[in-house]
Each structure stands twice: as C-alpha cells, then as structure tokens.
Amino acid sequence: MSELIVYRSNALMSVRSRFDSTRDLVMPVNLAYAEAMVGMWHSGLPQVTLVPSTATDAQVWPVMSAVGTKIHDTSDDNCPINTGWSYVGGNHGYNVGTQIVVANHGKTTVDVGSQWSDGTRIFTLLAITNANSLLFGNPYTIVNGIAQGARVRPAAPLTHVSGATHRTTVPITSLTPDVQIRPATHSHTVTVALDGRSVPDGRSTGLELVIRESYVIPTYQGMIDTARANVGTPIATIMPRIPSLCRISNIYRWSPGGSLIVTQTVAALSRFALNAGVTQCSALTPVAGGSRRQFVPNVGVAGGLNWSTWAKIDNLTALTDFTPATLVNKTWPATSMTQWVVSGGRIQQWGIAVGLLPVADGAPATRVRYTTTKGWFISSSLKKNYPQLVWGRVMAAGESVTGTAYRRYLAPPATATEIVVSDGGRDFVMIERVDPVAHATMAAPQLYGRLLVRVGPTNLTVPARVGVNGIPYSVPVSPGYGMWRADP
C-alpha cells in the first residue's frame, strides 16, 4: 500500500498507511476536537496504532478493534501557543479560572459578568457550570504594557461587588484553581482535501491529506472586561466582540509512511509575549519491562541526562530545558530528536522523529535570536517534547511568525534515522546516528543529482550532490548528525 487510506465520518477521521512489510499505521484526526479545533485523537482510535496489513477496514474503522497495538497517545499534541503565563489555543483555554463548588448556589445566567471580592482582589463570574458549581475568572495585571492573568486563588469567601442579581456570598471551602476557561477561541474555519479533492464520508485513497484551519484567540483582559460590560450575557455568545490577541493558521499534511508536516502561523492582533513551538509530542507508548530512549543532535548534558547518547527518559524528574548552554554549537538551537521504545532487552519496537524545518522563522539565524533562554524543552510528565520557534518574543499588532515542523514514525530495525522531509516545495535530508560507523550510505533515489546545502548543525561530511547510490557518510566519533536542503 503506497497511498493513504482515509476513513471519515463527519468530523472524525482515521489515516492509514504502510509502516513496514507486514504492518500498517493508523493515525486519528478530529476536525472538532476541542472547541471545533483540529486534533489528533478520537474515541474510536484513542492512540496511533499499528495493525497487520491484512486487517480489514471493519477491524480499524470506525472503532479500532483488538487487532491493533497502541504506540502513541497524541491526544494532547495539537499545538497551542503560550503567552508567558498560560497556554491557549489548540485544545487549551486560559488557565486562570477558579472553579468553586457550592451546593444550590442560586446564581443564574443573569449574574454572569458580575464582580466578587475576597477582600483584596476582584474575581469575575464567567459561567454557571451547573446548579452546584461556578466558574470565576481571576484578575489580570498589566506588566510592561501587556495584560497577564493572575494564577491566584480567593483568600476569603467572595462577597458581591457589582452586577449580580443573586448576591449571596460564595464560600471557598471547595475550589479548584488554575482551571482552563473555555471557550477561548472563535471564528473557526477548516477545510479538508485529499489530493486536492474533497473527502466524503466513508473510505477514500490518495497520496496527501491536507487540512487547513484558522481561528482567533481573544485577549484575556478583553474576556474579563467584556463580561463585566455585558452582565447577564455569557461571553461564549459574544466572542467576536472581545478584543483579539492573535489569529492562528495551521496546515496539516499527512503523507504515506507515517509522516505529518505541520505549518503554523501566529499573526498578532494585539501586543503580547509569545512562546510557540508548532508541534508538541507526547512520549511514545512503552512496552512492559521496556523503556523510551531519546537522542537530540547538538545537545550535551541537560537535566542530568546525556542527550548525545540514547538518554532514558522514563524517569525524567523535572522539566528539562535545552538552553544555549547545553548546545555543542551555540549558534544552532536544538532542532530535532529521535525517540525509540525498546524492550527490556533493548530491542527496538517503534520510533518517532520530530523537529523543526529551517524555513521562515524556523531558520537557525532567526531562532537563535528568539530562543536565548529556551530552544526546546521536555516536561517531566513527558506530555510535551517541544521545539521552540520563539520564546519570550514580544509581538506587536501586525507582526507574525511562521514555522514548519515534521513528525515521522519509524519502523525497526534502524541503526540510524535517515529521512527525507518535504514542506511541499522543498526537500530536506536528515541523518542522525548515535553509534560509530566507518562507511554508511543513506538511500535517497528520489533526490538523485540534487545539491546538498547544509541547513543545520552537523559533524558529518557528505558529498556535494546525491549520487546514484545515495548519500555516503561516516561517523568516526559518536554521535553523528546533520540536516541539508536538497536543491534541484
């Protein structure tokens, strides 16, 4: 099977392609995952799954049967942005809500937008969750001209300040802080095409599935101010009236072989500080008694692990940053990684390669200016394995940043990561190899005669052009790595 098989039912899709000689890979797609956003999860396919190539359509769609082997939870992998104080967009809302459980609180929609005080700070009632629960928006502050939500909790029962019809004091004996406020986006658009054609419900085949989406994120200050100015009107019904923070535009491209290319553009509509990474990646699903090992080119020791070898990441104790101080070549921020699940006997089971392409704001000379404190990080929960396009860049209204990231599932056995990635107009060659080798050759028949132009950190020597037998290289001292653009 050299093409994609796309199964669709309304907003839910599964994308199937060949993984190796006996297995296929099935990836979930959801056109309305959270707040109508594109996501990489649906209930019929909770994880990216390997199935025998002989598996029938009925065995994999609409619900994955027991025939499959789960290899990757991607439910959190549709990428938000970060404002320096909260993730938002993707499947995230501003995380400065306070949920308070109050039995028979008596509040109704007419009270939405009212203000309440703990004696020090003002909290705004944003939603009547149910008859026994209320959602308040925390106060915001202005720092260097930029509004920031405050991650604080009420210090005392909330007494009425203004706006409410039902003014009984709200006790805080049962509250949950840092709740994500939803909705936090509006004006969603999405289009789907397989080889340029619309994708109907049912089964379709083709070579490239392209999904384009766009949405607007309002400012948090605007959400609070608009709620207060429109008491009794849920902000979910008047989102377009809230001042806008930015517009997000995403393009997802699935192609055969377990490949996904994501291009993200963040266009600022107000001044704010932006952290953005285009793609985030949860850790692969391990096997019993096994572990997950990760190599990151151009990175040495960080978080107590040596990433120039196969670092065991299962017991990562804290969020780990790949800052300039951890880099071998300081002028090339961490760009890519390869991760494998191995058995207890260190036998490869399945892998993934993830990284940013050196295009637009992902060009190293641009990234090095805007990732001086963080170029890549991995959370201790392993839910985020996250290259950063920019970190702490203050965006003025009218400015934008664009980056393109790749994700490629890898089949064993593999002594090296040797892949070609295309962004739709340009082809890039990536070689990553931890073990030394005297003579190796990357097969690349589709690139025969192309000129190889270095576009990433490398300690490998390759010929000027791709030969009939591919790209020869050697790794005299471990590790070896490199990235090149393959020009016509």
Side-chain angles (χ1 to χ4, degrees), residues 44-255:
L45 184 60
Q47 289 199 27
V48 175
T49 302
L50 289 177
V51 301
S53 297
T54 55
T56 65
D57 294 337
Q59 289 176 302
V60 303
W61 177 260
V63 176
M64 178 62 65
S65 69
V67 72
T69 300
K70 299 179 178 67
I71 69 167
H72 195 198
D73 180 358
T74 53
S75 60
D76 197 44
D77 282 7
N78 51 324
C79 197
I81 63 167
N82 185 286
T83 62
W85 54 271
S86 177
Y87 285 98
V88 66
N91 61 332
H92 293 68
Y94 286 116
N95 64 351
V96 286
T98 296
Q99 193 89 36
I100 303 179
V101 175
V102 184
N104 302 312
H105 52 66
K107 307 292 189 291
T108 68
T109 299
V110 298
D111 302 303
V112 170
S114 58
Q115 300 177 49
W116 301 76
S117 174
D118 67 351
T120 303
R121 294 173 291 261
I122 301 295
F123 294 78
T124 303
L125 182 59
L126 292 182
I128 313 301
T129 311
N130 56 51
N132 302 304
S133 181
L134 302 168
L135 177 66
F136 289 86
N138 292 0
Y140 62 81
T141 58
I142 307 297
V143 180
N144 297 323
I146 298 174
Q148 299 183 0
R151 297 184 70 176
V152 297
R153 63 179 66 193
L158 296 176
T159 58
H160 178 254
V161 174
S162 66
T165 298
H166 306 96
R167 302 174 179 180
T168 304
T169 296
V170 178
I172 61 168
T173 51
S174 180
L175 66 79
T176 303
D178 306 335
V179 171
Q180 295 186 33
I181 297 170
R182 302 178 185 279
T185 62
H186 65 86
S187 302
H188 307 94
T189 64
V190 62
T191 62
V192 184
L194 181 62
D195 296 345
R197 310 183 311 271
S198 61
V199 181
D201 282 358
R203 182 186 191 273
S204 303
T205 60
L207 293 177
E208 184 180 58
L209 175 69
V210 178
I211 297 178
R212 300 172 184 269
E213 73 169 337
S214 175
Y215 57 87
V216 173
I217 300 175
T219 67
Y220 181 68
Q221 177 183 4
M223 290 178 70
I224 297 300
D225 291 352
T226 300
R228 292 176 176 178
N230 294 271
V231 172
T233 303
I235 59 171
T237 66
I238 54 172
M239 294 290 280
R241 291 162 55 179
I242 301 174
S244 299
L245 184 78
C246 64
R247 176 176 291 278
I248 305 293
S249 300
N250 295 323
I251 304 173
Y252 302 86
R253 300 178 185 272
W254 283 264
S255 57

